[in-house]
Amino acid sequence: MEVKDVVAEQPATRISQVFERARRERRGVLIPYFMCGYPSAEQSEKIILAAIEGGADIIELGIPFSDPLADGATIQQAGHVALEQGMTLKGCMQIASRIAAQSDAPLVFMGYYNPILAYGLERFCRDACNSGICGLIIPDLPPEEAESLQRAAYAYGLAIIFLVPPTTPDERIAHIADIVAQGPGGFLYCVSLSGVTGSRSELPPHLREFIARVQTYTEPKNVPLAVGFGLSTPEHIAAVTGFADGAVIGSALVKLIERAEEAQQPGTIREYISRLRNAADLPVERQ
């Protein structure tokens, strides 16, 4: 694969700038996840913009897929609804483009590799860049097999953000930290526990120790890290941003959208994100 066009601007640097600004302000970065096209294309745009108004720093945009191996039942159902309503990769690009036209918050696609491969790696990265996307999270693409997508993504200034579960060996963490550090920006996504996504009442007891192990490799390279999978309350956000740079929340937001009447969904999400942002803004002393 040959990438012919290389962009001068590096969209991924916008992600790094968010983390740098948050560090100066001594707070955590809040990264909510929303499924493109759920509960509908138009409504998902309204909800995402409401989340940005509520204080979201970075938005993770889910690309619906028929076989989402890393997703729990809640996000799987949201993706199923989106697909039933005709959401496609092009539709996700359109949603991203409309949000980017109204907000400066960096946008990150989270999707599975097969649809991207079928779309065409270079074409996908070009169109994502043109749609305002700053980075990509591909949960079923390991670093060892990511070279082709990585080359296309870096040509368009996009970050590749890898998931790191607690079972990851130290040498693999070091390798992933090197990849991120050599790229145009981004962060390392620490999975709070092994398994699929889904909100939980308590954080895993090993989480702080796991994050400290990862930071052994990321801090010398100035690579930020965010924690996701299972976060659902302001208390979770406050705890996680006490020892990590950012927090990702997904399933809890999907459940809120599902329970709220359509007219109330944007306001419900705006208020909830505001509460989470206040938790991330609490003064903390990093150990």
Side-chain angles (χ1 to χ4, degrees):
M1 182 192 67
E2 179 182 357
V3 178
K4 297 180 180 179
D5 300 315
V6 179
V7 295
E9 183 184 2
Q10 301 282 292
T13 60
R14 293 173 54 205
I15 297 174
S16 301
Q17 288 165 1
V18 166
F19 280 96
E20 290 166 4
R21 183 169 66 249
R23 283 174 179 171
R24 291 194 301 269
E25 296 171 357
R26 300 187 62 76
R27 63 175 182 83
V29 171
L30 185 61
I31 311 171
Y33 167 98
F34 297 98
M35 179 66 71
C36 287
Y38 178 80
S40 68
E42 182 180 359
Q43 190 70 353
S44 66
E45 291 176 34
K46 294 178 181 178
I47 289 168
I48 292 164
L49 290 170
I52 295 170
E53 291 172 3
D57 293 296
I58 297 169
I59 297 291
E60 201 176 303
L61 297 175
I63 299 172
F65 181 51
S66 57
D67 190 23
L69 298 178
D71 295 337
T74 300
I75 291 179
Q76 281 191 29
Q77 176 60 21
H80 178 70
V81 170
L83 288 172
E84 278 196 329
Q85 297 196 44
M87 183 51 57
T88 63
L89 257 178
K90 286 186 178 179
C92 294
M93 300 280 187
Q94 291 169 354
I95 288 174
S97 183
R98 288 193 285 267
I99 293 168
Q102 301 175 69
S103 167
D104 292 330
L107 306 177
V108 174
F109 268 151
M110 182 170 184
Y112 292 82
Y113 191 54
N114 277 351
I116 295 170
L117 188 62
Y119 192 95
L121 300 184
E122 193 270 344
R123 176 184 171 218
F124 174 80
C125 291
R126 180 198 66 207
D127 290 355
C129 176
N130 291 337
S131 300
I133 294 297
C134 298
L136 310 172
I137 302 171
I138 315 297
D140 61 340
L141 183 65
E144 295 81 3
E145 300 174 17
E147 183 179 347
S148 294
L149 179 60
Q150 184 179 322
R151 186 164 62 248
Y154 286 3
Y156 288 96
L158 303 177
I160 298 286
I161 299 158
F162 293 104
L163 300 181
V164 178
T167 53
T168 308
D170 288 357
E171 62 182 26
R172 187 176 176 84
I173 296 173
H175 175 58
I176 294 172
D178 284 340
I179 294 175
V180 178
Q182 292 166 12
F187 60 95
L188 195 149
Y189 189 146
C190 291
V191 178
S192 67
L193 40 76
S194 299
V196 298
T197 61
S199 58
R200 293 165 174 83
S201 59
E202 295 183 359
L203 296 176
H206 69 268
L207 181 58
R208 187 166 186 143
E209 179 182 350
F210 166 50
I211 298 304
R213 182 164 67 91
V214 177
Q215 286 169 333
T216 302
Y217 303 97
T218 57
E219 286 188 345
K221 301 178 184 300
N222 198 32
V223 172
L225 61 85
V227 176
F229 284 46
L231 309 187
S232 62
T233 68
E235 290 76 19
H236 289 168
I237 302 302
V240 163
T241 55
F243 52 83
D245 300 298
V248 182
I249 187 162
S251 296
L253 294 169
V254 175
K255 289 179 179 178
L256 277 179
I257 294 167
E258 181 182 19
R259 291 196 295 261
E261 296 291 335
E262 181 175 328
Q264 278 74 51
Q265 287 169 349
T268 297
I269 293 301
R270 184 187 301 108
E271 188 274 335
Y272 186 65
I273 291 294
S274 179
R275 288 173 54 209
L276 299 182
R277 175 59 185 268
N278 288 339
D281 280 346
L282 290 175
V284 295
E285 290 296 332
R286 295 276 170 87
Q287 296 298 315

